[in-house]
Structures are given as C-alpha cells and as structure tokens.
Amino acid sequence: MEKWNQTSDDFILLGLFPPNQTGLLLLFLIVLIFFLASVGNSAMIYLIRLDAWLHTPMCFLLSQLSLMDLMYLSTTAPKMVFNFLSGQKGISFLGCGVQSSSFLTMACSEGLLLASMAYDRYVAICHPLHYCIRMSKRMCVKMIVGSWILGSINSLAHTVYALHIPYCSSRAINHFFCDVPAMLPLACMGTWVYEYMDFVSTSLFLLFPFLGITASYGRVLFAVYHMRSRDGRKKAFTTCSTHLTVVTFYYEPFVYTYLQPRNFRSPAEDKILAVFYTILTPMLNTIICSLRNKEVLGAMARVFGIFSSMKQ
C-alpha cells in the first residue's frame, strides 16, 4: 500500500498510469520518447550552433524552439517517472510552484516564438528584398527575448494566484504535474477571478498569435500560388507545410484544453492531451524540422564528415 507522507503544504500528484504491469510498460514508452526527444533537440541545437550554413534567422528561431522543448520535457517527465517508480506521489509546495511556473513559461513563450517563425516566412517569401533588414540578428534577438519575458510574466501571474488561494483538506491533484486548471477543483473558494485571467491570457498567448500565424500564411500561400517558378513554389510549400505541421501539433491540444470549459472535458482527457504537448510534440518537432529541412540534413552530413575525419 502506497504511503503519501506529506506536510500540510504538500500536494499529491495522482499520476498518469496505474501502478501495474501495463502502467510500467507505458512508462517505459514515455521514457523512450523522452530519451529520443532529448537527444534530437540537443542535436538540433548543436548542429545550428556548429554549422555556419545554419546561421540564419529561421534556424536561430528553430534552435530556441528546440531549447523550449527540452525544458518542456525536463519540467514534467522526470518527476512523473520518479513518482511512479518510487511510489511517492507527493510534491512540495515550492516544487509545485516551480513546476507550474516553468511549464507555463514554456507554453506561452513557444506560442509567441511560433508566431515569430511565421513572420519570418512571410517576410522571406512576400518581401525577400527586405528580409535582411526586417529579420536582422538584432530583430531575432528582440523576438526571442520578448517571447521569454512575456511568457515568464504570464506564468508568474498564474502561479502566484494558484499558490495563494486556500485549498481544502484534499490536496490530491488529478494530474501528473502541477497544472493550474487541475489544481482549481481543490480550492475552498470561488475561482472566477482566475477563470477571467485565464481567458485573457489564453487570448493573448494562443488566440492572437494563432490569428497572426493564419494571416501570415494566408499571404504566403497567396504569394506562392502566383510564383512562376515551379521549383520556387515547391520549396516554399515544403518550408511552410513543415512549420504549419508544428503549429498544428502545438495549438490543437492547447485549444481543446484551455478554451473549452472544464464541464465539457474530463481529467483523463486533460492528462492524455498533456502527454501530447509536453512529451510527444517535442519529439515530433525535431523529426519534422530535421527530416523535411534540406539545410538541416546537409548540416548533419557535414558534421558526420567532420566526425569521420577526426577518427582517421
């Protein structure tokens, strides 16, 4: 029988899998995905930093996407695996705050970063002569720093509110990490203030960036359709479809989870979708962005050549 030794301020994470053979098998699959995603994103960051041909604005933004995905994985998966294997489901009050803040920072910052990547494609295809000016190194740094700062401010507001509301005697969170919406049912007071704040932040960090991405790619597709060069159209479609696939994997689970009222979804659905955007998406992003990007594939070949020459 599991023992949940906790202080009055600790929380309990009920976890994702049942404590049996099936749960252990599924956990092994999660660990495998975690390993592949960690290696893939780390390799992407290393390649972009090492290979001079990848020192472009889009690849610079792509390296930040890989960094955010790495932090996504590190925020939720290790604690979930440790709790399952040890049978200790508790998480400290401070640890819950750090986990919630880190997760929200990555989620909000990545949405803004994807909007920046869409703007990069818009400028590259619709205004190629102005690309070096509009997407200068200084502008890329501003986009990235702005994404991190705004994401951190938003996550701080959510986390401070969640940790300052009174909770009832039960502190069992029906999730595998400290997700604020999963913590609200435990509150001993009305949460309409947070629900209003959640609607505002969801609009700012999900809806508005999504509208910006849609507008950017609407203009891009219109420009691509009128291109005379067949090779140019093919290259543009390949690049845009890659990014749109990443955007789809990011936005679909978030929209379903955070724009839909709690009464219309179950905790089990929330946990399954959370696995998708915290563990599966970071792995899929690396596969999509590498296998469908000729520049990245070329960099892999060049780096492999460097390693081969070093062995000789």
Side-chain angles (χ1 to χ4, degrees), residues 2-242:
E2 295 173 340
K3 296 180 179 180
W4 297 337
N5 298 321
Q6 64 181 92
T7 67
S8 60
D9 289 333
D10 288 345
F11 291 96
I12 295 170
L13 296 174
L14 297 183
L16 179 63
F17 303 126
N20 53 30
Q21 293 291 336
T22 302
L24 185 61
L25 180 62
L26 293 173
L27 185 76
F28 174 77
L29 181 61
I30 292 294
V31 171
L32 178 61
I33 294 173
F34 173 82
F35 174 76
L36 293 175
S38 298
V39 172
N41 283 288
S42 299
M44 182 70 71
I45 296 172
Y46 178 74
L47 279 174
I48 292 173
R49 184 173 181 178
L50 184 67
D51 195 277
W53 290 94
L54 297 182
H55 293 174
T56 62
M58 188 61 177
C59 288
F60 190 34
L61 296 174
L62 186 59
S63 68
Q64 289 297 306
L65 180 66
S66 294
L67 177 61
M68 290 179 181
D69 285 340
L70 270 177
M71 296 184 70
Y72 249 143
L73 292 165
S74 303
T75 298
T76 57
K79 180 62 177 175
M80 178 184 67
V81 174
F82 173 80
N83 282 0
F84 184 92
L85 296 178
S86 67
Q88 299 177 2
K89 296 180 178 290
I91 183 171
S92 66
F93 183 83
L94 178 60
C96 192
V98 171
Q99 190 181 60
S100 175
S101 177
S102 300
F103 166 75
L104 288 171
T105 298
M106 296 305 107
C108 299
S109 300
E110 188 162 323
L112 297 175
L113 185 69
L114 290 174
S116 300
M117 294 171 71
Y119 176 75
D120 174 270
R121 292 300 86 197
Y122 162 72
V123 176
I125 294 175
C126 298
H127 302 282
L129 298 180
H130 299 161
Y131 183 77
C132 293
I133 299 175
R134 293 193 183 185
M135 289 303 298
S136 62
K137 185 176 182 180
R138 185 177 181 182
M139 178 58 68
C140 287
V141 171
K142 286 182 178 180
M143 287 179 171
I144 292 170
V145 172
S147 298
W148 282 101
I149 291 176
L150 291 176
S152 299
I153 292 174
N154 180 69
S155 71
L156 183 63
H158 283 263
T159 305
V160 168
Y161 178 86
L163 297 183
H164 278 77
I165 59 177
Y167 290 97
C168 300
S169 57
S170 174
R171 285 174 168 259
I173 303 173
N174 193 5
H175 217 298
F176 62 89
F177 71 98
C178 289
D179 190 23
V180 176
M183 297 168 64
L184 294 183
L186 308 179
C188 294
M189 58 174 284
T191 57
W192 66 270
V193 174
Y194 177 81
E195 291 174 1
Y196 176 77
M197 183 172 67
D198 183 55
F199 173 78
V200 173
S201 66
T202 299
S203 299
L204 291 175
F205 291 94
L206 283 181
L207 185 58
F208 289 164
F210 180 74
L211 292 176
I213 292 171
T214 303
S216 296
Y217 278 106
R219 293 290 304 273
V220 166
L221 292 175
F222 181 80
V224 169
Y225 181 76
H226 289 86
M227 282 184 177
R228 295 182 178 180
S229 171
R230 179 177 298 179
D231 292 337
R233 283 201 304 268
K234 183 178 180 181
K235 183 178 180 180
F237 270 125
T238 300
T239 304
C240 294
S241 63
T242 299

Side-chain angles (χ1 to χ4, degrees), residues 214-276:
T214 303
S216 296
Y217 278 106
R219 293 290 304 273
V220 166
L221 292 175
F222 181 80
V224 169
Y225 181 76
H226 289 86
M227 282 184 177
R228 295 182 178 180
S229 171
R230 179 177 298 179
D231 292 337
R233 283 201 304 268
K234 183 178 180 181
K235 183 178 180 180
F237 270 125
T238 300
T239 304
C240 294
S241 63
T242 299
H243 185 226
L244 283 174
T245 304
V246 173
V247 169
T248 301
F249 282 140
Y250 172 82
Y251 275 100
E252 277 196 3
F254 271 115
V255 168
Y256 185 86
T257 302
Y258 291 97
L259 287 182
Q260 194 175 32
R262 279 186 295 167
N263 298 333
F264 292 90
R265 64 181 195 272
S266 66
E269 291 175 330
D270 287 347
K271 287 191 282 187
I272 292 173
L273 288 172
V275 170
F276 195 89

